Amino acid sequence: MAATTTICIDPNTKNMLDSLKVYKNGSYNSVVERLIKMAYDNDPLTDEEIAGIEESLEDIKAGRVYSEKEAKKMLDIDD
């Protein structure tokens, strides 16, 4: 059996939760459960992936970045 809990949320948050309901009279529990399932990652990042992210962040901090236009030109992609 489900437990009943009262929480205090901002009215804007409640409006956002309302907009995420699949059915108008659906429960907030179903919305929250769906959001949790979307946020939970069954496959944590590998050490290699973390190292790649850290390397990318260093590139960004050092200014080694390209604009979308530059990247498309380098990859010969037309708009």
Side-chain angles (χ1 to χ4, degrees), residues 5-17:
T5 302
T6 302
I7 62 170
C8 181
I9 58 172
D10 183 89
N12 291 328
T13 303
K14 182 184 177 300
N15 290 336
M16 287 188 283
L17 288 172

Side-chain angles (χ1 to χ4, degrees), residues 23-77:
Y23 303 103
K24 183 179 178 181
N25 293 329
S27 71
Y28 291 111
N29 184 74
S30 64
V31 174
V32 172
E33 186 176 344
R34 194 169 67 248
L35 292 171
I36 290 169
K37 285 179 181 178
M38 290 172 55
Y40 185 76
D41 188 357
N42 289 322
D43 300 317
L45 296 174
T46 64
D47 291 341
E48 184 178 310
E49 291 168 327
I50 292 170
I53 292 169
E54 290 171 344
E55 182 180 337
S56 297
L57 290 173
E58 289 174 18
D59 286 339
I60 291 168
K61 288 177 186 175
R64 295 185 296 266
V65 296
Y66 300 99
S67 69
E68 180 181 2
K69 185 176 181 179
E70 292 169 323
K72 283 183 176 182
K73 185 175 180 180
M74 290 170 49
L75 298 170
D76 197 29
I77 298 173

